[in-house]
């Protein structure tokens, strides 16, 4: 990446994007089942996404526009089809690791705000690769991250999931992380689009104590210079296959049905060809959301189930639904899901391997910022110290999260403040 100081624009010295290369070939190596709508294996190599969509019934297409709930292992699922054969999409949380549930231990990485504090995109790239590999080991397809909200309001409960307050640094980290996740054949999902910066809780979107659905009033220049750049670079240079619309309103319109954001800017101006998810419980309409750019409702069908099918029979052009489905299929094709060509799926040997543990520690160390060291008190000379006090609400525990979706519930390794210092003191 280089910066044009005269124009104020950045240019990316990259080759043809992998997604665009695949699309230019016009090839979709899909495997289909047997049935009236199926396509033979000999024909699969020349079958494109349009043909696949046209072989589906309306009911089948609608089933691909919403989630079917969650399980203890995954955050959500989009159902698959038997004929034509389309694999399901399993989605997991992932800002700090592959969140595969309480029964599967995975590597807990430092929070993205710590990663950003390294100012090192190479570490972001390595972290993305590691988390994507552990995601595949758990047989999941979609990683719900990275988060590119601006760290603007101190009490925002999602701040630790972000890359901080600077749009340039956030963009650099987002491209490195997102591109590496996609390169590992996992769908990266930048979130929360956009100006989602002052939520107090992340529980039920309708919880009376939550202000997650606040209205962000943002002028065009601020939107373009501060809030949009990380998403734009994640999409255009990181090849993100999906994107989550935020809970909040932007200039009075819910993000999940905001035509200016989802269609005019994201899809038309930026050329995004992946699919847009609602945040969990963040859909508010059927026809408006579908027409204005939302492709998949999560976590289940409140507006995009039978209501969407009825709308097609009444006022909504079926071509809108076709495009919604087409976008999800393109992203699945991109990671090899449709053809079954995804190396590492189910390979549990990569989870928590020594490279991942070492990387997590390296990020934690490099992301630690010392603001003041009066009289060179650090590092501590243990020969002159008889005791050390650790002050805080949880000095013996590792703080796994602060209110968002960043917690790895069953980490392979965690080191709390006291434990970490004790280990260090025993080595000197």
């Amino acid at each position: 990446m280089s910066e044009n100081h005269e124009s104020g624009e950045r240019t990316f010295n990259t080759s043809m994007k992998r997604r665009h290369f695949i699309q230019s070939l016009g090839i979709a190596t899909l495997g289909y089942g047997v049935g009236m709508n199926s396509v033979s294996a000999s024909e699969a190599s020349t079958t494109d996404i349009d043909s696949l969509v046209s072989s589906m019934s309306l009911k089948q297409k609608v089933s691909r526009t919403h989630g079917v709930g969650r399980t203890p292992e995954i955050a959500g699922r989009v159902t698959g089809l038997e004929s034509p054969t389309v694999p399901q999409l399993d989605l997991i949380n992932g800002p700090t690791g592959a969140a595969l549930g309480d029964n599967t231990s995975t590597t807990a990485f430092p929070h993205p705000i710590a990663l950003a504090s390294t100012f090192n995109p190479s570490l972001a790239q390595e972290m993305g690769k590691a988390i994507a590999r552990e995601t595949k080991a758990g047989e999941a397809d979609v990683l719900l991250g990275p988060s590119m909200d601006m760290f603007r309001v101190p009490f925002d409960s999602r701040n630790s999931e972000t890359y901080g307050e600077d749009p340039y640094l956030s963009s650099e980290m987002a491209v490195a992380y997102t591109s590496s996740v996609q390169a590992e054949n996992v769908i990266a999902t930048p979130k929360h689009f956009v100006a989602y910066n002052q939520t107090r809780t992340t529980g039920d979107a309708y919880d009376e104590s939550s202000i997650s659905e606040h209205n962000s009033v943002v002028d065009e220049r601020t939107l373009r210079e501060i809030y949009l750049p990380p998403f734009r670079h994640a999409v255009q240079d990181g090849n993100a296959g999906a994107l989550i619309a935020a809970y909040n309103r932007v200039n009075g319109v819910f993000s999940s049905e905001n035509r200016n954001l989802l269609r005019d800017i994201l899809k038309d101006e930026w050329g995004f060809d992946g699919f847009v998810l609602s945040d969990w419980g963040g859909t508010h309409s059927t026809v408006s959301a579908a027409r204005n750019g939302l492709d998949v409702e999560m976590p289940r069908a409140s507006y995009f189930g039978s209501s969407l099918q009825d709308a097609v029979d009444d006022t909504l052009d079926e071509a809108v639904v076709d495009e919604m489905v087409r976008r999800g299929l393109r992203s699945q094709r991109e990671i090899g899901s449709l053809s079954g060509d995804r190396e590492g799926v189910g390979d549990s040997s990569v989870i928590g391997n020594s490279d991942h543990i070492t990387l997590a520690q390296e990020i934690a160390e490099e992301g630690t910022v010392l603001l003041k060291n009066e009289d060179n008190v650090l590092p501590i000379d243990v020969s002159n110290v008889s005791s050390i006090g650790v002050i805080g609400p949880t000095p013996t525990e590792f703080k796994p999260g602060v209110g968002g979706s960043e917690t790895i519930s069953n980490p392979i390794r965690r080191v709390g403040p006291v434990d970490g210092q004790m280990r260090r003191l025993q080595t000197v």
Side-chain angles (χ1 to χ4, degrees):
M1 180 182 292
S2 62
E3 184 174 3
N4 185 329
H5 293 280
E6 293 181 356
S7 65
E9 297 180 351
R10 301 184 307 174
T11 59
F12 289 78
N13 298 319
T14 57
S15 57
M16 178 184 288
K17 301 297 184 294
R18 181 166 172 262
R19 182 192 306 280
H20 295 161
F21 174 73
I22 292 175
Q23 289 176 336
S24 70
L25 294 177
I27 296 175
T29 54
L30 311 177
Y32 298 94
V34 178
M36 182 178 297
N37 293 328
S38 65
V39 181
S40 68
S42 62
E43 297 172 318
S45 62
T46 58
T47 301
D48 61 15
I49 297 298
D50 289 339
S51 297
L52 180 55
V53 173
S54 67
S55 71
M56 296 180 186
S57 67
L58 176 59
K59 182 177 181 180
Q60 287 178 317
K61 286 185 281 192
V62 168
S63 74
R64 294 284 298 176
T65 67
H66 61 81
V68 289
R70 60 192 305 164
T71 73
E73 293 79 28
I74 60 174
R77 171 175 292 160
V78 176
T79 190
L81 302 176
E82 291 186 2
S83 179
T85 301
V86 177
Q88 66 192 28
L89 273 175
D90 282 355
L91 302 83
I92 65 168
N93 287 317
T96 62
L100 296 172
D102 294 341
N103 297 323
T104 302
S105 296
T106 57
T107 306
F109 286 88
H111 282 61
I113 193 66
L115 176 64
S117 296
T118 70
F119 290 85
N120 189 343
S122 295
L123 286 178
Q125 186 176 48
E126 291 305 311
M127 181 171 161
K129 288 180 182 178
I131 294 177
R133 289 167 182 163
E134 296 195 11
T135 297
K136 287 189 295 184
E139 301 185 8
D141 311 282
V142 181
L143 188 62
L144 300 174
S147 176
M148 273 133 11
D149 309 320
M150 288 291 101
F151 193 153
R152 184 179 66 82
V153 179
F155 60 66
D156 180 13
S157 62
R158 313 298 293 267
N159 279 336
S160 67
E161 297 179 54
T162 76
Y163 293 132
E165 74 282 5
D166 181 75
Y168 181 86
L169 176 61
S170 294
S171 297
E172 295 285 302
M173 292 296 185
V175 171
Y177 184 94
T178 303
S179 61
S180 64
V181 170
Q182 289 283 156
E184 287 292 329
N185 289 330
V186 172
I187 297 173
T189 315
K191 60 182 185 180
H192 309 83
F193 193 66
V194 62
Y196 182 60
N197 311 101
Q198 54 195 47
T199 182
R200 297 293 290 272
T201 76
T202 56
D204 188 336
Y206 304 103
D207 189 324
E208 64 181 4
S209 66
S210 174
I211 59 168
S212 62
E213 296 184 342
H214 57 272
N215 181 31
S216 298
V217 180
V218 192
D219 64 77
E220 184 75 7
R221 179 175 179 179
T222 303
L223 194 65
R224 295 281 182 173
E225 293 184 358
I226 303 296
Y227 297 106
L228 291 178
F231 289 97
R232 177 168 65 87
H233 289 297
V235 166
Q236 294 184 328
D237 304 296
N239 292 326
L243 184 144
I244 291 180
Y247 282 122
N248 58 290
R249 298 174 176 89
V250 176
N251 297 327
V253 182
F254 280 114
S255 299
S256 59
E257 54 188 58
N258 193 310
R259 186 177 188 86
N260 179 54
L261 294 175
L262 302 184
R263 285 213 178 274
D264 298 346
I265 295 176
L266 176 65
K267 294 180 176 180
D268 294 343
E269 182 181 327
W270 295 352
F272 176 65
D273 60 2
F275 62 101
V276 177
L277 298 155
S278 75
D279 211 332
W280 274 227
T283 306
H284 300 275
S285 66
T286 299
V287 174
S288 292
R291 283 177 175 166
N292 292 335
L294 185 66
D295 301 305
V296 177
E297 177 189 11
M298 296 300 294
R300 56 185 59 85
S302 296
Y303 294 93
F304 277 9
S306 58
S307 296
L308 183 62
Q309 185 163 341
D310 291 344
V312 171
D313 294 333
D314 186 17
T315 60
L316 186 67
D317 191 332
E318 189 171 347
V320 174
V321 178
D322 290 349
E323 178 59 20
M324 295 161 67
V325 176
R326 190 179 296 116
R327 287 176 170 277
L329 292 172
R330 279 200 293 256
S331 293
Q332 280 189 271
R333 179 180 66 179
E334 169 70 4
I335 65 167
S337 172
L338 294 180
S339 62
D341 185 22
R342 294 178 73 211
E343 294 184 4
V345 175
D347 179 11
S348 60
S349 67
V350 302
I351 295 181
N353 64 31
S354 59
D355 288 342
H356 293 182
I357 297 297
T358 299
L359 175 63
Q361 181 166 334
E362 181 182 359
I363 294 170
E365 292 174 353
E366 197 168 325
T368 300
V369 179
L370 179 62
L371 298 179
K372 185 177 182 180
N373 191 18
E374 189 172 332
D375 298 328
N376 294 317
V377 68
L378 297 176
I380 295 173
D381 182 358
V382 296
S383 64
N384 295 323
V385 175
S386 60
S387 65
I388 296 175
V390 180
I391 301 170
T394 55
T396 61
E397 300 176 13
F398 181 91
K399 183 70 173 175
V402 294
S405 56
E406 77 274 36
T407 300
I408 300 300
S409 59
N410 190 12
I412 290 174
R413 177 175 181 259
R414 272 187 183 145
V415 180
V418 171
D419 188 22
Q421 291 187 62
M422 291 299 295
R423 293 186 189 186
R424 176 60 180 165
L425 291 173
Q426 290 168 3
T427 64
V428 296

